[in-house]
Amino acid sequence: MTTSVVIAGGGPNGLLLACELALAGVHPVVLERLPERAAQPKANGLVGRVVQALDYRGLYERFSGSSAPPVPAPRFQFGALPLELSSVDSNALYTLPIPQRRMEELLEQRAHELGVQIWRGHELTTVSQDGARVSIGVTGPRGRYELAAEFLVGADGGHSVVRKLCGIEFPGITDHGFIARSGQVSIHPPVAVPGTGELEVAGVGRLRPATFTRTGNGMFTYGMFQPGRYRVAVYEWAPSPLEDSTSMPLDELRDAVRRVIGGDVPMSEPAGGEPAALRRSTGINSRQADRYRQGRVFLLGDAAHVHSGVGGPGLNLGMQDALNLGWKLAAEVNGWAPEGLLDTYHGERHPVGQRVIMHTRAQMALLSAGANITALRELFGELLRDTNNVRHVADLMAGADIRYDTRTSELPHPMAGRWMPDLVLPAGNETARVAELLHPAVPILLDLAGRADLAGTAKGWMDRIKVITAPTADRPADAVLIRPDGYVAWAANPETPRAAAGLQHTLQSWFGAPAQAHIPTEG
Ligand SMILES: Cc1cc2nc3c(=O)[nH]c(=O)nc-3n(C[C@H](O)[C@H](O)[C@H](O)COP(=O)(O)OP(=O)(O)OC[C@H]3O[C@@H](n4cnc5c(N)ncnc54)[C@H](O)[C@@H]3O)c2cc1C
């Protein structure tokens, strides 16, 4: 069988990519080796720009159950130090609590609505490629078979078989400085203080959820993500060697908590028959694929990068990889991608992955043991009393400090390469917010000043982009060209020299040659 795109891995990132491709008219096959979704709990929510990105794709309401647009978090933490965000302008640190299993269910449902084929119980086992196609060996419920595809995407997690089979290096470090244990458990009154989410631990005092208790022996944190169900995590410094485990006894978690905080937290198996998801891990990997693309094969999500989970950055990074790759790969399959477009995936997303590895390692350093670290925390805490520093850290965690290359030699408009703000459009337009314009994942030329010269320039690309004219006096630019992933490709002010020519150049460099020739006229 031959198909345009095969995605190996039906986790959240592979499924989101499948939806993106299908929106652009490319129907991939998703191979997922598990016959059924894994019961083991993973993420508890999303943190960062991705929450807005889902809103821009019309998925936020499904994920949150709310029809109102997302609002940024009033506070968060960096390395267990408080980040007070309420006074930060344009705070991009959005949070959305949702269990990963539910996220995957919703994305799978969306993928089915869009006509994606998801083959469960099918495991990719071999990969080879030449200049024209990728050959993929698969072991499915009825045995082994071969698939041929124009492109293969490895969204097959941190142990990615695709990455290994393609010989893509995964350099980085494994930090063995502590042992982490976690689980999802029931904690009952009087230790669980009714109605507050707090724990009252004899000999220790009152502990608050979503905060870190750092002691001479390690660190303890917990949160309640469903009524009566607590996620407990405890880290011990300088452990003696032990194997990783996903079947650790509950007593082991209880004992580790006692050693670290110096008091007893009675825990039992969670109510409702859900698994306690007890896990021991003895090393934290911070690793990144040295190439996100090798010929016709791409890597995405955990297959491309792994790091500590502190601050919950994994899906903010991986899902935005999917949004970045989706429209570019679809453009290639649909035959209009300009030269070099597919290479911008690595060019844009690899540096973002590097920054996540940097800030998660910095946070792990702040969480480590010792008097020097205590001093460092004190200093860092002082720096975080300055709103500018809080904004810097919040943007870093949100992935909002990204400015993509604008592929032009001209001095770009300040909006170009950055996230498109969710402007409210003037009354009388079919849609009320920029976010809604992007639901179909089609590039938009948003003309906010009635610039006929610019709308005219876009005529040759009308098979690929949509022009929306919504004149308003309150505008950040005369016109903005928005990519399907929500980033601004180009923008112009009234004083921008040769705006129409600049727009034409940008349209060509992101969206290929025009379907019909057009000579720009200057407005
Ligand atoms: C305990 C825990 C808590 C976490 N908490 C958070 C959090 O709160 N917020 C956050 O953003 N992130 C969190 N993360 C990280 C997040 O879970 C990952 O970043 C996310 O799962 C990555 O998604 P993915 O689709 O790239 O890979 P995965 O979720 O690993 O999915 C890969 C899929 O590929 C399949 N597969 C593997 N090999 C093959 C093959 N050869 N053929 C076919 N299919 C294959 C697997 O079965 C799997 O379904 C947490 C992780 C853990 C472990």
Side-chain angles (χ1 to χ4, degrees):
M1 181 182 161
T2 301
T3 185
S4 51
V5 179
V6 169
I7 300 172
N13 295 323
L15 290 171
L16 182 61
L17 176 70
C19 294
E20 289 294 292
L21 291 168
L23 277 172
V26 173
H27 289 89
V29 168
V30 178
L31 303 173
E32 170 52 57
R33 77 172 164 200
L34 298 178
E36 282 172 25
R37 192 164 297 112
Q40 191 78 4
K42 286 173 115 182
N44 296 302
L46 301 172
V47 180
R49 180 70 90 203
V50 68
V51 178
Q52 270 192 303
L54 291 174
D55 183 38
Y56 281 29
R57 200 53 91 243
L59 292 171
Y60 177 73
E61 189 169 344
R62 280 184 204 222
F63 274 54
S64 66
S66 159
S67 57
V71 288
R75 64 192 64 82
F76 205 69
Q77 296 193 2
F78 183 82
L81 291 164
L83 278 183
E84 260 316 315
L85 298 162
S86 45
S87 55
V88 171
D89 302 334
S90 321
N91 170 17
L93 202 58
Y94 291 76
T95 54
L96 172 57
I98 175 172
Q100 182 159 332
R101 205 179 145 80
R102 178 71 185 140
M103 232 182 288
E104 289 176 12
E105 258 167 35
L106 291 170
L107 287 169
E108 190 163 333
Q109 186 189 78
R110 176 71 175 142
H112 282 307
E113 284 165 19
L114 293 167
V116 172
Q117 299 182 59
I118 301 169
W119 298 353
R120 287 200 163 270
H122 292 248
E123 180 172 8
L124 175 146
T125 51
T126 62
V127 175
S128 62
Q129 60 172 315
D130 57 28
R133 62 179 199 163
V134 192
S135 303
I136 300 151
V138 185
T139 303
R142 292 198 209 130
R144 209 190 118 70
Y145 63 94
E146 289 273 330
L147 270 177
E150 285 177 62
F151 296 99
L152 167 68
V153 181
D156 50 346
H159 298 287
S160 173
V161 173
V162 172
R163 187 185 68 230
K164 289 174 191 160
L165 289 173
C166 290
I168 298 175
E169 295 294 321
F170 203 40
I173 59 144
T174 304
D175 182 351
H176 288 289
F178 51 85
I179 185 163
R181 295 182 178 88
S182 61
Q184 305 213 358
V185 296
S186 288
I187 304 176
H188 299 285
V191 171
V193 182
T196 65
E198 294 171 330
L199 301 180
E200 181 68 47
V201 185
V204 176
R206 197 162 278 216
L207 305 177
R208 284 194 296 128
T211 54
F212 288 78
T213 303
R214 182 171 167 271
T215 70
N217 294 334
M219 196 168 62
F220 168 76
T221 184
Y222 77 96
M224 184 162 59
F225 296 100
Q226 288 164 35
R229 190 176 166 87
Y230 293 80
R231 178 169 190 273
V232 168
V234 61
Y235 303 78
E236 279 185 282
W237 318 130
S240 39
L242 268 178
E243 295 284 299
D244 285 4
S245 164
T246 50
S247 56
M248 163 186 91
L250 183 53
D251 278 348
E252 185 177 326
L253 181 66
R254 220 180 274 134
D255 293 347
V257 172
R258 186 184 310 111
R259 284 193 297 273
V260 167
I261 65 171
D264 266 319
V265 178
M267 304 170 200
S268 57
E269 292 285 334
E274 292 276 321
L278 293 158
R279 182 189 290 257
R280 178 202 309 134
S281 51
T282 53
I284 290 193
N285 280 303
S286 295
R287 296 183 178 275
Q288 188 177 23
D290 62 357
R291 279 158 292 155
Y292 282 15
R293 174 184 188 186
Q294 180 163 287
R296 295 183 164 271
V297 180
F298 295 82
L299 297 178
L300 142 107
D302 278 15
H305 37 69
V306 292
H307 42 75
S308 147
V310 61
L315 288 163
N316 187 40
L317 184 58
M319 287 178 131
Q320 291 196 77
D321 289 347
L323 296 169
N324 189 289
L325 180 60
W327 68 273
K328 295 173 182 173
L329 197 51
E332 184 71 28
V333 173
N334 287 329
W336 56 257
E339 182 77 29
L341 182 69
L342 279 179
D343 287 328
T344 66
Y345 169 61
H346 172 96
E348 292 185 339
R349 296 305 299 170
H350 191 270
V352 183
Q354 278 177 321
R355 286 186 72 69
V356 171
I357 287 174
M358 177 271 279
H359 80 68
T360 48
R361 288 185 67 181
Q363 290 186 77
M364 288 315 294
L366 282 169
L367 290 167
S368 306
N372 290 349
I373 301 295
T374 305
L376 181 64
R377 290 180 64 78
E378 201 175 320
L379 174 60
F380 216 93
E382 285 175 18
L383 295 174
L384 289 180
R385 282 183 217 136
D386 180 327
T387 308
N388 289 323
N389 294 336
V390 176
R391 179 184 300 108
H392 184 96
V393 171
D395 282 354
L396 174 65
M397 293 182 88
D401 51 359
I402 302 168
R403 184 164 197 190
Y404 291 144
D405 181 18
T406 53
R407 306 191 98 199
T408 170
S409 53
E410 308 264 328
L411 183 66
H413 186 281
M415 292 175 79
R418 297 200 183 277
W419 181 251
M420 177 66 196
D422 188 16
L423 304 179
V424 175
L425 299 178
N429 282 282
E430 264 173 50
T431 46
R433 297 189 292 128
V434 159
E436 295 165 34
L437 301 179
L438 286 163
H439 287 184
V442 170
I444 303 281
L445 178 64
L446 182 59
D447 173 7
L448 295 167
R451 292 276 300 261
D453 59 324
L454 301 178
T457 299
K459 276 207 175 108
W461 286 267
M462 293 306 276
D463 57 334
R464 275 153 271 173
I465 77 164
K466 192 167 174 195
V467 178
I468 308 269
T469 304
T472 171
D474 182 18
R475 54 179 183 259
D478 269 11
V480 190
L481 180 63
I482 313 166
R483 307 181 345 175
D485 57 2
Y487 285 83
V488 174
W490 171 93
N493 283 333
E495 40 309 329
T496 302
R498 304 179 63 249
L503 174 60
Q504 181 170 24
H505 171 84
T506 307
L507 283 164
Q508 234 150 4
S509 51
W510 288 110
F511 308 119
Q516 33 178 290
H518 176 78
I519 297 160
T521 49
E522 291 304 324

PDB file of all heavy atoms in Angstrom, residues 56 70 80 128 137 143 160 235 240 321 398 442 462 474:
ATOM      1  N   TYR A  56      -6.718  28.653  18.866  1.00  0.00           N
ATOM      2  CA  TYR A  56      -6.632  29.118  17.471  1.00  0.00           C
ATOM      3  C   TYR A  56      -7.050  28.010  16.509  1.00  0.00           C
ATOM      4  O   TYR A  56      -7.283  28.272  15.341  1.00  0.00           O
ATOM      5  CB  TYR A  56      -5.200  29.580  17.147  1.00  0.00           C
ATOM      6  CG  TYR A  56      -4.844  30.977  17.661  1.00  0.00           C
ATOM      7  CD1 TYR A  56      -5.440  31.510  18.789  1.00  0.00           C
ATOM      8  CD2 TYR A  56      -3.898  31.764  17.005  1.00  0.00           C
ATOM      9  CE1 TYR A  56      -5.108  32.781  19.262  1.00  0.00           C
ATOM     10  CE2 TYR A  56      -3.562  33.038  17.462  1.00  0.00           C
ATOM     11  CZ  TYR A  56      -4.164  33.532  18.604  1.00  0.00           C
ATOM     12  OH  TYR A  56      -3.832  34.783  19.062  1.00  0.00           O
ATOM     13  N   PRO A  70      -9.344  31.324  26.447  1.00  0.00           N
ATOM     14  CA  PRO A  70      -8.486  31.059  27.615  1.00  0.00           C
ATOM     15  C   PRO A  70      -7.972  32.350  28.243  1.00  0.00           C
ATOM     16  O   PRO A  70      -7.842  33.359  27.557  1.00  0.00           O
ATOM     17  CB  PRO A  70      -7.323  30.263  27.024  1.00  0.00           C
ATOM     18  CG  PRO A  70      -7.355  30.480  25.558  1.00  0.00           C
ATOM     19  CD  PRO A  70      -8.744  30.870  25.182  1.00  0.00           C
ATOM     20  N   ALA A  80      10.267  25.818  41.739  1.00  0.00           N
ATOM     21  CA  ALA A  80       9.629  25.929  43.055  1.00  0.00           C
ATOM     22  C   ALA A  80       9.778  27.304  43.675  1.00  0.00           C
ATOM     23  O   ALA A  80       9.657  27.462  44.888  1.00  0.00           O
ATOM     24  CB  ALA A  80      10.136  24.849  44.001  1.00  0.00           C
ATOM     25  N   SER A 128      13.358   2.296   5.623  1.00  0.00           N
ATOM     26  CA  SER A 128      14.440   2.625   4.690  1.00  0.00           C
ATOM     27  C   SER A 128      13.880   3.665   3.729  1.00  0.00           C
ATOM     28  O   SER A 128      12.658   3.768   3.553  1.00  0.00           O
ATOM     29  CB  SER A 128      14.919   1.387   3.936  1.00  0.00           C
ATOM     30  OG  SER A 128      13.856   0.868   3.175  1.00  0.00           O
ATOM     31  N   GLY A 137       8.354  -1.093   7.379  1.00  0.00           N
ATOM     32  CA  GLY A 137       7.936  -2.446   7.765  1.00  0.00           C
ATOM     33  C   GLY A 137       7.091  -2.359   9.021  1.00  0.00           C
ATOM     34  O   GLY A 137       7.446  -1.652   9.976  1.00  0.00           O
ATOM     35  N   GLY A 143       0.081 -10.037  11.159  1.00  0.00           N
ATOM     36  CA  GLY A 143       1.458 -10.333  10.745  1.00  0.00           C
ATOM     37  C   GLY A 143       2.159  -9.130  10.144  1.00  0.00           C
ATOM     38  O   GLY A 143       1.709  -7.999  10.274  1.00  0.00           O
ATOM     39  N   SER A 160      12.009   6.473  20.713  1.00  0.00           N
ATOM     40  CA  SER A 160      11.693   6.418  19.276  1.00  0.00           C
ATOM     41  C   SER A 160      12.484   5.384  18.469  1.00  0.00           C
ATOM     42  O   SER A 160      13.716   5.461  18.344  1.00  0.00           O
ATOM     43  CB  SER A 160      11.926   7.803  18.679  1.00  0.00           C
ATOM     44  OG  SER A 160      11.797   7.750  17.279  1.00  0.00           O
ATOM     45  N   TYR A 235      11.444  13.332  45.572  1.00  0.00           N
ATOM     46  CA  TYR A 235      12.791  13.174  45.001  1.00  0.00           C
ATOM     47  C   TYR A 235      13.775  13.073  46.156  1.00  0.00           C
ATOM     48  O   TYR A 235      13.739  13.906  47.060  1.00  0.00           O
ATOM     49  CB  TYR A 235      13.172  14.398  44.153  1.00  0.00           C
ATOM     50  CG  TYR A 235      12.194  14.699  43.036  1.00  0.00           C
ATOM     51  CD1 TYR A 235      10.975  15.330  43.303  1.00  0.00           C
ATOM     52  CD2 TYR A 235      12.487  14.346  41.730  1.00  0.00           C
ATOM     53  CE1 TYR A 235      10.071  15.589  42.278  1.00  0.00           C
ATOM     54  CE2 TYR A 235      11.589  14.609  40.705  1.00  0.00           C
ATOM     55  CZ  TYR A 235      10.382  15.229  40.990  1.00  0.00           C
ATOM     56  OH  TYR A 235       9.492  15.484  39.976  1.00  0.00           O
ATOM     57  N   SER A 240      21.281   5.470  46.380  1.00  0.00           N
ATOM     58  CA  SER A 240      22.074   4.296  46.006  1.00  0.00           C
ATOM     59  C   SER A 240      21.425   3.730  44.742  1.00  0.00           C
ATOM     60  O   SER A 240      20.227   3.912  44.522  1.00  0.00           O
ATOM     61  CB  SER A 240      22.079   3.283  47.133  1.00  0.00           C
ATOM     62  OG  SER A 240      20.817   3.245  47.725  1.00  0.00           O
ATOM     63  N   ASP A 321       5.457  21.631  17.931  1.00  0.00           N
ATOM     64  CA  ASP A 321       6.193  20.984  16.835  1.00  0.00           C
ATOM     65  C   ASP A 321       5.184  20.524  15.779  1.00  0.00           C
ATOM     66  O   ASP A 321       5.376  20.711  14.575  1.00  0.00           O
ATOM     67  CB  ASP A 321       6.931  19.721  17.308  1.00  0.00           C
ATOM     68  CG  ASP A 321       8.136  19.981  18.200  1.00  0.00           C
ATOM     69  OD1 ASP A 321       8.589  21.127  18.293  1.00  0.00           O
ATOM     70  OD2 ASP A 321       8.616  18.995  18.798  1.00  0.00           O
ATOM     71  N   ALA A 398       6.602  29.688  28.702  1.00  0.00           N
ATOM     72  CA  ALA A 398       5.446  29.597  27.793  1.00  0.00           C
ATOM     73  C   ALA A 398       5.880  29.295  26.366  1.00  0.00           C
ATOM     74  O   ALA A 398       5.050  28.972  25.523  1.00  0.00           O
ATOM     75  CB  ALA A 398       4.666  30.908  27.836  1.00  0.00           C
ATOM     76  N   VAL A 442      -5.824  27.684   7.615  1.00  0.00           N
ATOM     77  CA  VAL A 442      -5.481  28.269   6.312  1.00  0.00           C
ATOM     78  C   VAL A 442      -4.741  29.582   6.586  1.00  0.00           C
ATOM     79  O   VAL A 442      -5.147  30.332   7.481  1.00  0.00           O
ATOM     80  CB  VAL A 442      -6.781  28.547   5.507  1.00  0.00           C
ATOM     81  CG1 VAL A 442      -6.504  29.361   4.257  1.00  0.00           C
ATOM     82  CG2 VAL A 442      -7.469  27.243   5.167  1.00  0.00           C
ATOM     83  N   MET A 462      -4.717  32.956  -3.974  1.00  0.00           N
ATOM     84  CA  MET A 462      -6.037  32.769  -3.371  1.00  0.00           C
ATOM     85  C   MET A 462      -6.438  31.297  -3.254  1.00  0.00           C
ATOM     86  O   MET A 462      -7.365  30.959  -2.524  1.00  0.00           O
ATOM     87  CB  MET A 462      -7.109  33.537  -4.174  1.00  0.00           C
ATOM     88  CG  MET A 462      -6.940  35.039  -4.095  1.00  0.00           C
ATOM     89  SD  MET A 462      -6.882  35.647  -2.407  1.00  0.00           S
ATOM     90  CE  MET A 462      -8.609  35.764  -2.077  1.00  0.00           C
ATOM     91  N   ASP A 474      -8.155  50.938  15.412  1.00  0.00           N
ATOM     92  CA  ASP A 474      -7.324  50.432  16.502  1.00  0.00           C
ATOM     93  C   ASP A 474      -6.587  49.179  16.006  1.00  0.00           C
ATOM     94  O   ASP A 474      -7.073  48.062  16.149  1.00  0.00           O
ATOM     95  CB  ASP A 474      -8.266  50.080  17.670  1.00  0.00           C
ATOM     96  CG  ASP A 474      -7.490  49.602  18.865  1.00  0.00           C
ATOM     97  OD1 ASP A 474      -6.272  49.858  18.917  1.00  0.00           O
ATOM     98  OD2 ASP A 474      -8.099  48.956  19.744  1.00  0.00           O
TER      99      ASP A 474
END
